[in-house]
Amino acid sequence: MTITPPALSVFETLESEVRSYCRGWPAVFDRAQGARLTDEDGHSYLDFFAGAGSLNYGHNNPVLKRALIDYIERDGITHGLDMATTAKRAFLETFQNVILRPRDLPYKVMFPGPTGTNAVESALKLARKVKGRESVVSFTNAFHGMSLGSLAVTGNAFKRAGAGIPLVHGTPMPFDNYFDGTVPDFLWFERLLEDQGSGLNKPAAVIVETVQGEGGINVARAEWLRALQELCERQDMLLIVDDIQMGCGRTGGFFSFEEAGIVPDIVTLSKSISGYGLPMSLCLFKPELDIWEPGEHNGTFRGNNPAFVTAAAALDAYWADGRVEQQTKERGLQVEQALLAICAEEPTAQFRGRGLVWGMEFEDPARASAVCARAFELGLLLETSGPQSEVVKLLPPLTITTEELDEGLRTLARSVRETA
């Protein structure tokens, strides 16, 4: 496929230089359905990006689209702040019956605002309010959002530098396998907590991703996560799991921490919780932590009712039984086998992942960007991740067919060969 870069005049002259994804994918996209996008010139692209994980059920999913159109056509509430609406009630009842009760999770539900960083900010704020302490521990290579509180617990130096002010009250600790297994888990962390001369203020909470997406697809072991929960319990710290990108089935189970058998004190969700790419986020927490005063945390767009509609439809359609979870695990095995074959031919690469999130890391960081650029030329959307953009990140829709997945993996293999 030969792609002619479009005339991007209005984007280049009017839109801010801060834009990023469009630089790697120089096309003007016009339509999308399932796992494919089409640009205005008619070129088709297989999507291994899925809206950075916000389109787990694909583009314009017909089940969710029908529910949304029906709701709009009957003049359903669009903007509701935190008012009670029929759409919100339907979502809450579905979320309770389909997700929380079957997993014996006792969480209260908070609607903190439309984006993932809103959920993280509310989680940090609540943890500090509950414990009466300021410090929050995060982990190396973490990413939790772009607002100031979220940036303070994010590891990426480039993103942190954009804050323009000191980022305080956050302390980084080594993520799982940061020292390649040469240091026992949490040795440094626990020593600092117990040493009165360490200078570490007693943390209110620890925030963690079970799989670090933006950090390079770093997968925490189940035993590491269990040990972290035990450490938090011993040291009177709340455990916050950021499931914004890895939740909603991305790793298999609806929550990414299910496999480890832990129950975090607070959980953040966003991205694919609406199911349709509509802005929506949740902050979930144990009932005893619900000490908010009315209106103490709010936001104009926390009542996105069309998102409630598509979210409830997604839960009913894909989570009332175990088919999606099983299918995701099967698709994950398909990806793993393909990456094994690619890495057998490419000694400078290694891979890791869970479910339908995978990363291929190259010794030469520039190679990952070259692979993604070649993949785009061949009609496949891939992004990079990691502190040096050294990882090719695979994040296809959970609803992708085996044939589409195989097509994308073959294109990836060709891109790796042709950039050697």
Side-chain angles (χ1 to χ4, degrees):
M1 179 170 61
T2 301
I3 299 170
T4 302
L8 298 175
S9 58
V10 70
F11 304 109
E12 293 171 343
T13 60
L14 189 59
E15 191 178 0
S16 166
E17 292 298 316
V18 79
R19 64 192 190 281
S20 60
Y21 292 115
C22 59
R23 298 179 188 276
W25 302 329
V28 178
F29 296 103
D30 182 48
R31 291 173 288 114
Q33 209 288 315
R36 295 186 187 275
L37 293 87
T38 304
D39 69 19
E40 63 180 355
D41 295 322
H43 298 123
S44 177
Y45 302 82
L46 191 56
D47 188 4
F48 271 27
F49 175 64
S54 63
L55 295 167
N56 281 3
Y57 312 108
H59 296 267
N60 287 303
N61 182 290
V63 175
L64 312 189
K65 180 166 63 176
R66 185 70 264 160
L68 179 60
I69 290 173
D70 289 346
Y71 184 76
I72 292 171
E73 286 185 337
R74 73 168 185 82
D75 291 331
I77 298 293
T78 296
H79 181 273
L81 294 161
D82 68 357
M83 294 183 291
T85 66
T86 55
K88 183 197 280 189
R89 180 175 59 201
F91 168 72
L92 285 170
E93 290 175 347
T94 304
F95 191 67
Q96 182 177 49
N97 294 331
V98 175
I99 301 301
L100 297 182
R101 279 180 178 159
R103 293 161 179 79
D104 197 27
L105 294 172
Y107 296 132
K108 297 290 289 291
V109 179
M110 176 182 177
F111 299 99
T115 72
T117 199
N118 295 130
V120 170
E121 294 284 359
S122 65
L124 300 177
K125 191 173 177 179
L126 179 61
R128 288 165 171 145
K129 179 178 173 66
V130 168
K131 291 300 182 183
R133 309 180 207 128
E134 296 177 354
S135 178
V136 172
V137 165
S138 58
F139 291 94
T140 49
N141 292 313
F143 178 80
H144 296 291
M146 298 298 285
S147 51
L148 293 180
S150 301
L151 275 178
V153 290
T154 288
N156 187 284
F158 174 74
K159 292 179 172 65
R160 289 175 63 90
I165 63 171
L167 297 171
V168 296
H169 310 306
T171 303
M173 290 292 166
F175 190 70
D176 190 17
N177 204 39
Y178 187 73
F179 294 111
D180 299 320
T182 60
V183 177
D185 295 339
F186 308 115
L187 175 66
W188 173 244
F189 189 2
E190 195 148 23
R191 184 74 58 86
L192 290 177
L193 288 169
E194 294 176 350
D195 183 357
Q196 296 301 306
S198 70
L200 175 65
N201 294 330
K202 181 77 170 184
V206 174
I207 185 168
V208 67
E209 304 155 273
T210 66
V211 181
Q212 294 182 327
E214 299 305 308
I217 317 301
N218 305 311
V219 182
R221 294 166 295 140
E223 56 266 34
W224 187 86
L225 292 168
R226 287 192 290 269
L228 177 60
Q229 178 176 256
E230 292 167 2
L231 174 61
C232 288
E233 291 171 351
R234 287 197 309 273
Q235 297 289 345
D236 187 34
M237 302 179 297
L238 297 178
L239 176 60
I240 305 169
V241 168
D242 180 339
D243 235 2
I244 288 166
Q245 188 170 82
M246 298 304 153
C248 302
R250 176 54 56 182
T251 65
F254 185 84
F255 296 104
S256 71
F257 55 80
E258 291 179 46
E259 181 184 278
I262 64 172
V263 180
D265 298 293
I266 304 175
V267 180
T268 60
L269 286 175
S270 186
K271 291 197 182 284
S272 276
I273 187 59
S274 80
Y276 205 75
L278 299 175
M280 177 178 173
S281 72
L282 305 178
C283 184
L284 313 176
F285 39 81
K286 293 180 177 178
E288 61 269 24
L289 304 181
D290 193 9
I291 63 171
W292 293 113
E293 295 290 336
E296 190 174 9
H297 186 93
N298 57 29
T300 302
F301 294 101
R302 66 195 186 281
N304 186 354
N305 281 251
F308 297 156
V309 171
T310 55
L315 297 179
D316 273 332
Y318 295 102
W319 292 98
D321 55 37
R323 284 183 296 173
V324 166
E325 181 172 352
Q326 182 58 36
Q327 177 178 293
T328 298
K329 292 177 180 178
E330 291 170 358
R331 300 284 194 275
L333 289 174
Q334 184 180 348
V335 175
E336 185 176 14
Q337 292 302 311
L339 295 181
L340 272 169
I342 293 172
C343 289
E345 297 181 5
E346 178 52 73
T348 68
Q350 57 180 328
F351 69 92
R352 50 191 177 263
R354 279 179 59 196
L356 274 176
V357 53
W358 293 84
M360 177 177 291
E361 181 178 358
F362 293 90
E363 288 181 4
D364 177 7
R367 182 79 179 282
S369 295
V371 168
C372 290
R374 181 56 181 148
F376 172 77
E377 294 172 350
L378 297 172
L380 176 65
L381 301 185
L382 291 166
E383 71 163 331
T384 61
S385 70
Q388 300 179 76
S389 298
E390 74 277 18
V391 177
V392 173
K393 183 179 181 182
L394 284 67
L395 207 70
L398 306 184
T399 52
I400 193 169
T401 66
T402 55
E403 294 78 14
E404 289 170 328
L405 190 56
D406 182 63
E407 176 189 338
L409 292 167
R410 282 187 279 108
T411 301
L412 171 62
R414 179 179 170 185
S415 301
V416 172
R417 287 195 302 270
E418 293 182 359
T419 56

